[in-house]
Amino acid sequence: MSGDPNGVPYAIEVRSDDPKKKDDDKPKDAGADDAVAKAKAELKEDTADDLSEEDAALKGELEMLVERLKESDSSLYRPALETLRTLIRTSTSSMTSVPKPLKFLRPHYADLQKIQESWPDSPSILSSVTSAVGLTSEPSITDKSLFAEILSVLAMTYSDSGKRETLKYRLTGGSEEDPGLWGHEYVRHLAAELGEEFIQRQTAATEDNTTADTSDLVSLGLRLIPFFLTHNGEADAVDLLLELESISAIIPHVDENTYARVCLYMVSCVSLLPPPDDVQFLETAREIYRKHAKYTEALTLSLRLQDKEGIQKDFEAPKNPHMKRQLAYILARQQVVVETEDEALLDILNNTQLSENFKTFGKDLNVTEPKSLEDIYKTHLEDNRSTAPANVDSARQNLAGTFVNAFVNAGFGNDKLMVEAEEGQSWIYKNKDHGMFSAAASLGVSLLWDTDVGLSQIDKYAYATEEHIKAGAMLANGLIHSGIRTEMDAALALLSEHVESKSVPLRVAAIIGIGIAYAGTQREDIREILLPAISDTSVSLEIAAISSLALGFIFVGSCDGDVTMAVLQTMMEREEKELKEKWGRFLSLGLALLYLGRQDASDATIETLKAVESPIGKQALVLVDVCSFAGTGNVLKIQQMLSHCHDHLNTEKEEDKEKEKEDDLHQAFAVMGIALIAMGEDVGAEMSIRQFNHLMHYGEPVIRRSVPLALGILSASNPVLTILDTLSRYSHDNDLQVALNAIFAMGLVGAGTNNARLAQMLRQLASYYSKEPDCLFMVRIAQGLVHMGKGTIGINPFHTDRSLMSPVAVAGLLATITAFTDAGGFILDKSHWMLYFIVMAMYPRFLITFDEEGNLLPVTVRVGTAVDVVGQAGKPRTISGFQTHQTPVRLGQLERAELATEEFISYSHVLEGYVVLSKNKGFEKEEEGMDTSS
């Protein structure tokens, strides 16, 4: 190059070989020649630079073989193809480079395609391949088929996107040879093209209103599955069959070495799949577990599917009585009843030992001593900048003390204010009127699960002259039976006579007491008792709504037609003015709970609700939709709920002041619904938190008030720092209703955790709101929740390693936060007893181990943060940052336990709740010191 620095343009030299390129500037039949020229140029550069003698010899041999295929002598074809196949298969390559034979053959790809197309077919052999798949012997493959197989491999390095030539030549070749012989990369490439082709055929068939023929793709896909499973590609195998819509076909291919990883991956995919794929995955994983006699895993999946017949089948499958006991413990935790004649198993299924075991657990942790209110409030630590209000001992603060005392000493049955109060000194008499209702009912929480002692203690108040005390005693009778079933049926016997009482408090207490005591039992005899109150338009909406809610508790997730019809009929028959009362929301909630977790089963009910013109129709519609997909993580439903929140109602100009405000309660349910749907899946839960921040910034007041409640249900008994800080910020909001709900949500998030940081936050709030009685009342309630059961009881509905959602617990949580959608009308008015709905979600967070005889067996376990090991190679640790403890031991919501030694073998796949252990006969004592890798 040369140029003049004084601004004269540069002269550019032209290379001598440039004009030659103009010669081949002719019209081309396809872009393939261009690509071949490019490939040849690349190869020319490579060969000019660094082609070793060995590579040059290989290149020469390959070119000679290609020339042979171009010749007319057909006898040379088979040896040339065989040699090509051998060279390609035996070539080694690093992870970053293409195998040499494929690289050298790339320029010849277009020529080879034309040669293969020009060869004649051999009809006899091709017909035998199509008529007898899998029976064709190796020698009968035609030259053209073998050629197609080689081209299929070459197409990996030379194929225009969209043509799927690797798959095309594999199918036209019709070879019955194992595709895995060509290597891992080829199989993965083939799998990817199979999925694309399947989708394209399905789309084309849908447009033409025909049925797509995909049998060839499915049969080829099934031949790739054994290769994936034997090469640690379990996830690839599952993904391929998901794309081919044939997931159940994996069952025969799975063996004892691969089933655990396959099922773990499949189950973890469920929350990310749309219906009906999610159900198919669970059913397939269950079949694999059954095939390998993994009874507890199979039962867990049957429970997730809410499949009654499957649950009964899995329960009866094992012949080992100890395994049956373990299955009974899992069913009891989920509060599912199955038929059995074994008395010992019935005891376990009815949860009758829960109180005794819980007290043993408390004794072991040294927390049986009752706690006073001052132990919880720690007022000496509060920042008393302002002088305390004069009426410290007000009825409102005494009422708060009632709940705090009940929640903190729940299940231990020895609190000083109620159970062990001296004659005439009971805390009940420090409350006024309706406060006595909650005070008497608090006995049921203190004596939770202890039906023997509880009934005699409550009996003292059951015949009181004061109506509210009597009603509270009835509710207490229901509370002590929460999650427990007894042969006597004491709760029903004591409460059923008051279901039609003329006194409203007695009637409400009796109905809701029965609802809580028999939640999840689906007993038809109780339906006959409570159903008339819903249909009878002469009774108040309060009674009808509470009856609907109680039946929702009892028939949760059952899709019961009779209750559905009764509630829908009431919505259509009652006057709109009546349905707009604050109680209407519980009528809708009772209906929604019937479809909890049943997904599309609620479609008919939703269609009917669209015909209900009153605002309650829209509220019920949102609630039914939300409950149907609770815990599924369904993204489309979350988007649907967000679209409800998007509407700005009641923001029109004030030109029409007389126009009635549009009802926006359904938006509150939509916000709570986002949390309810997302809470079953970590990624969705994290993303929903971000959405809540947006809603808090831009939402209407009704939406802003619901956001803290949604955060509370999303992270119940799981005090995540970011959520605590967010709620702490909301608890100082200008809108007192938002602050009130945020304070309660802080209690939900920390329920039963004794979280020190949260306790400190609440103490600061107590001093901040010292002159705001409503907020101070709620701070006290939150403090009681945080120290629930002295740190031994949780309210998170997910258990068994967070794989199962308890419908009864969700019903309890949902009913509690529904009351907070109008806290002033319920909790802060005369219906504060609704806080006891949360008892349905309360359950000890323990791990208790038994030997095969049913005796307590203390063993060493490691407890640490659960680690997600899905798809990880080898045998990674399932917990991190563990500590070693002796059972019984407390487990946090995100914690997992594993046996520290191999001395015992667990009958359950998850160490949580009650676990039966058997002695490992092959264990030797002297190995204990060496056992660090188990």
Side-chain angles (χ1 to χ4, degrees):
M1 296 270 184
S2 63
D4 190 345
N6 298 323
V8 179
Y10 284 97
I12 300 170
E13 288 186 12
V14 180
R15 288 171 60 116
S16 60
D17 55 346
D18 268 359
K20 289 180 186 173
K21 289 207 169 186
K22 290 183 181 178
D23 293 342
D24 51 45
D25 206 6
K26 298 168 189 168
K28 292 183 171 61
D29 31 324
D33 295 348
D34 240 358
V36 172
K38 190 179 172 188
K40 282 179 177 169
E42 282 173 15
L43 196 59
K44 196 173 177 184
E45 280 173 32
D46 284 354
T47 48
D49 292 344
D50 53 356
L51 206 61
S52 66
E53 277 184 41
E54 198 179 328
D55 288 351
L58 176 62
K59 180 173 176 284
E61 187 179 357
L62 289 168
E63 284 176 350
M64 178 199 69
L65 292 169
V66 171
E67 288 304 318
R68 279 198 186 163
L69 294 174
K70 291 179 182 175
E71 290 176 19
S72 55
D73 185 359
S74 59
S75 61
L76 297 173
Y77 297 165
R78 176 54 69 115
L81 290 169
E82 295 280 5
T83 311
L84 266 177
R85 176 164 68 174
T86 309
L87 284 170
I88 293 170
R89 277 191 189 166
T90 54
S91 67
T92 56
S93 66
S94 69
M95 290 296 286
T96 53
S97 65
V98 179
K100 288 285 193 315
L102 297 184
K103 188 177 178 181
F104 295 147
L105 285 170
R106 223 180 134 205
H108 304 288
Y109 179 69
D111 292 342
L112 291 171
Q113 276 185 304
K114 287 173 186 166
I115 296 166
Q116 197 265 353
E117 281 166 24
S118 66
W119 284 8
D121 289 332
S122 175
S124 59
I125 293 168
L126 276 180
S127 61
S128 68
V129 170
T130 51
S131 63
V133 174
L135 301 175
T136 316
S137 57
E138 181 59 35
S140 65
I141 190 168
T142 62
D143 291 349
K144 187 166 185 175
S145 298
L146 181 56
F147 201 169
E149 203 176 325
I150 291 167
L151 282 173
S152 173
V153 180
L154 288 179
M156 279 198 299
T157 57
Y158 183 97
S159 85
D160 297 319
S161 60
K163 282 192 176 179
R164 293 187 285 282
E165 288 176 336
T166 297
L167 176 62
K168 173 188 149 188
Y169 284 117
R170 183 79 210 180
L171 290 172
T172 52
S175 167
E176 287 305 307
E177 204 174 39
D178 177 14
L181 294 170
W182 292 102
H184 199 264
E185 195 52 45
Y186 174 69
V187 174
R188 290 188 62 177
H189 203 86
L190 201 53
E193 292 194 357
L194 268 170
E196 289 170 17
E197 178 69 18
F198 186 87
I199 291 165
Q200 189 175 331
R201 286 194 197 178
Q202 292 281 47
T203 310
T206 308
E207 287 168 4
D208 302 340
N209 285 330
T210 55
T211 309
D213 178 22
T214 53
S215 54
D216 53 340
L217 301 180
V218 174
S219 65
L220 177 57
L222 289 176
R223 285 169 51 205
L224 302 182
I225 300 303
F227 178 85
F228 280 134
L229 293 178
T230 50
H231 292 78
N232 297 318
E234 292 87 359
D236 295 324
V238 172
D239 291 346
L240 174 59
L241 288 177
L242 170 63
E243 288 186 315
L244 298 179
E245 296 178 7
S246 308
I247 190 62
S248 55
I250 200 170
I251 298 172
H253 297 285
V254 177
D255 60 20
E256 67 275 4
N257 299 319
T258 54
Y259 80 87
R261 286 167 60 83
V262 168
C263 290
L264 183 64
Y265 180 70
M266 285 176 71
V267 173
S268 67
C269 286
V270 169
S271 55
L272 308 172
L273 294 171
D277 289 342
D278 52 353
V279 174
Q280 284 176 358
F281 262 52
L282 286 174
E283 286 173 346
T284 305
R286 179 176 65 178
E287 282 309 311
I288 295 171
Y289 279 137
R290 283 175 176 172
K291 181 179 161 188
H292 292 92
K294 292 292 167 186
Y295 302 113
T296 56
E297 289 96 325
L299 181 67
T300 305
L301 296 184
S302 288
L303 287 167
R304 273 186 80 168
L305 288 161
Q306 298 188 25
D307 173 10
K308 279 188 179 176
E309 288 176 14
I311 292 166
Q312 190 74 39
K313 180 180 173 183
D314 288 325
F315 180 65
E316 290 168 358
K319 298 290 174 269
N320 183 335
H322 310 307
M323 177 56 84
K324 272 232 162 112
R325 271 180 52 228
Q326 183 63 68
L327 295 181
Y329 283 129
I330 293 172
L331 289 170
R333 175 67 184 93
Q334 188 72 347
Q335 296 183 35
V336 171
V337 191
V338 292
E339 293 169 19
T340 178
E341 291 170 7
D342 188 323
E343 287 296 321
L345 289 179
L346 269 176
D347 256 9
I348 294 171
L349 287 166
N350 291 338
N351 248 337
T352 45
Q353 300 298 310
L354 182 59
S355 176
E356 187 186 321
N357 290 326
F358 176 64
K359 285 173 182 171
T360 308
F361 171 57
K363 204 176 287 178
D364 211 77
L365 296 186
N366 202 19
V367 292
T368 46
E369 205 57 38
K371 292 224 181 229
S372 68
L373 297 181
E374 182 50 36
D375 291 339
I376 303 305
Y377 297 165
K378 295 185 179 165
T379 44
H380 61 283
L381 295 176
E382 285 177 13
D383 180 12
N384 292 319
R385 288 170 300 177
S386 56
T387 53
N391 59 340
V392 169
D393 198 25
S394 67
R396 175 54 59 88
Q397 289 311 305
N398 284 355
L399 184 60
T402 300
F403 288 105
V404 173
N405 176 62
F407 288 137
V408 171
N409 297 299
F412 289 100
N414 61 356
D415 71 284
K416 292 277 190 278
L417 297 187
M418 291 291 302
V419 181
E420 296 191 355
E422 293 173 27
E423 196 64 44
Q425 295 296 307
S426 173
W427 185 258
I428 289 181
Y429 302 107
K430 289 202 174 185
N431 290 278
K432 293 176 185 169
D433 302 335
H434 53 84
M436 290 178 165
F437 187 143
S438 289
S442 73
L443 263 178
V445 185
S446 285
L447 296 158
L448 196 59
W449 310 311
D450 191 348
T451 50
D452 299 335
V453 177
L455 288 170
S456 58
Q457 284 278 0
I458 295 163
D459 199 51
K460 291 189 287 188
Y461 303 101
Y463 304 101
T465 50
E466 175 63 52
E467 193 179 63
H468 289 291
I469 297 178
K470 197 173 174 184
M474 281 188 202
L475 182 54
N477 272 324
L479 292 171
I480 59 169
H481 287 87
S482 174
I484 308 287
R485 281 176 287 280
T486 57
E487 283 181 31
M488 292 191 301
D489 249 0
L492 189 60
L494 291 166
L495 301 177
S496 57
E497 60 189 272
H498 297 284
V499 166
E500 294 184 359
S501 167
K502 287 194 168 62
S503 156
V504 173
L506 285 180
R507 194 168 183 182
V508 166
I511 292 170
I512 215 68
I514 290 173
I516 292 172
Y518 295 96
T521 56
Q522 299 179 20
R523 282 183 44 175
E524 294 182 11
D525 55 332
I526 299 176
R527 181 175 61 201
E528 305 311 316
I529 297 170
L530 299 181
L531 207 54
I534 299 177
S535 311
D536 187 356
T537 49
S538 64
V539 301
S540 68
L541 187 68
E542 178 182 355
I543 300 296
I546 291 297
S547 301
S548 168
L549 183 61
L551 284 167
F553 289 160
I554 295 163
F555 289 90
V556 63
S558 68
C559 306
D560 188 87
D562 293 352
V563 182
T564 303
M565 287 311 298
V567 176
L568 288 172
Q569 201 173 340
T570 299
M571 286 182 177
M572 289 172 175
E573 287 177 0
R574 286 189 183 249
E575 288 182 21
E576 189 169 327
K577 185 185 174 187
E578 200 179 359
L579 289 170
K580 280 187 177 174
E581 287 179 28
K582 64 180 182 181
W583 295 99
R585 68 199 71 199
F586 288 107
L587 190 68
S588 308
L589 181 59
L591 174 64
L593 289 175
L594 299 173
Y595 296 96
L596 190 70
R598 299 315 292 259
Q599 302 200 12
D600 297 330
S602 61
D603 285 354
T605 306
I606 287 172
E607 287 305 314
T608 314
L609 284 168
K610 287 176 183 173
V612 179
E613 290 174 8
S614 166
I616 199 172
K618 188 146 194 190
Q619 295 163 23
L621 195 141
V622 171
L623 270 174
V624 171
D625 219 3
V626 161
C627 285
S628 301
F629 289 86
T632 58
N634 189 301
V635 180
L636 296 176
K637 285 292 164 193
I638 292 176
Q639 288 171 350
Q640 208 173 316
M641 293 305 125
L642 282 168
S643 72
H644 285 303
C645 302
H646 178 261
D647 303 329
H648 289 278
L649 307 172
N650 304 321
T651 52
E652 292 84 15
K653 299 267 192 307
E654 293 186 14
E655 58 214 22
D656 189 6
K657 283 196 175 179
E658 287 166 30
K659 186 182 171 188
E660 199 178 339
K661 280 180 72 178
E662 199 174 337
D663 194 287
D664 53 9
L665 183 59
H666 68 277
Q667 293 188 319
F669 294 142
V671 174
M672 286 157 23
I674 294 168
L676 201 64
I677 295 167
M679 69 179 176
E681 194 255 313
D682 293 341
V683 178
E686 216 168 292
M687 289 170 72
S688 62
I689 292 169
R690 195 186 306 167
Q691 295 297 339
F692 291 143
N693 286 334
H694 294 318
L695 291 174
M696 208 62 188
H697 281 295
Y698 308 113
E700 294 295 304
V702 69
I703 291 173
R704 295 184 78 249
R705 288 167 188 168
S706 305
V707 168
L709 298 173
L711 287 169
I713 202 170
L714 192 67
S715 192
S717 286
N718 182 21
V720 180
L721 213 54
T722 49
I723 291 183
L724 286 184
D725 288 344
T726 305
L727 287 172
S728 177
R729 201 166 65 246
Y730 295 161
S731 66
H732 295 82
D733 199 272
N734 292 334
D735 183 345
L736 272 187
Q737 188 69 51
V738 173
L740 206 72
N741 288 354
I743 295 166
F744 179 68
M746 288 166 86
L748 288 180
V749 169
T753 60
N754 283 350
N755 188 286
R757 184 189 175 107
L758 184 50
Q760 174 62 24
M761 282 180 182
L762 290 170
R763 280 196 293 276
Q764 288 170 349
L765 281 170
S767 116
Y768 182 78
Y769 284 119
S770 59
K771 290 186 177 175
E772 189 64 58
D774 286 350
C775 291
L776 184 58
F777 171 75
M778 206 46 70
V779 171
R780 297 305 184 206
I781 299 291
Q783 286 178 310
L785 289 172
V786 170
H787 298 282
M788 183 186 280
K790 296 169 222 168
T792 57
I793 294 175
I795 60 167
N796 196 293
F798 287 89
H799 60 92
T800 314
D801 205 8
R802 294 188 298 147
S803 63
L804 283 177
M805 179 182 81
S806 165
V808 174
V810 173
L813 279 174
L814 201 48
T816 312
I817 63 168
T818 301
F820 274 87
T821 52
D822 181 7
F826 292 110
I827 305 296
L828 300 174
D829 194 30
K830 294 180 182 177
S831 302
H832 32 74
W833 53 267
M834 287 188 173
L835 283 167
Y836 292 131
F837 285 149
I838 209 164
V839 168
M840 294 162 62
M842 286 164 61
Y843 201 86
R845 297 285 312 158
F846 56 35
L847 163 61
I848 295 180
T849 45
F850 298 110
D851 61 17
E852 291 181 331
E853 276 65 57
N855 305 315
L856 282 173
L857 175 67
V859 295
T860 313
V861 290
R862 299 192 190 111
V863 178
T865 309
V867 177
D868 187 8
V869 294
V870 177
Q872 288 189 20
K875 291 186 177 177
R877 286 207 175 278
T878 55
I879 57 173
S880 71
F882 60 81
Q883 293 178 318
T884 307
H885 296 280
Q886 191 92 346
T887 59
V889 63
R890 185 197 178 280
L891 293 178
Q893 184 55 30
L894 298 178
E895 288 180 331
R896 189 182 280 162
E898 58 181 39
L899 293 169
T901 68
E902 291 181 359
E903 188 177 352
F904 294 97
I905 298 170
S906 165
Y907 278 97
S908 174
H909 65 294
V910 174
L911 292 188
E912 193 179 303
Y914 298 119
V915 176
V916 182
L917 302 176
S918 70
K919 191 89 175 155
N920 182 358
K921 296 186 175 78
F923 179 76
E924 292 176 18
K925 280 282 180 192
E926 56 264 31
E927 288 181 8
E928 273 185 26
M930 299 158 55
D931 185 30
T932 55
S933 61
S934 63

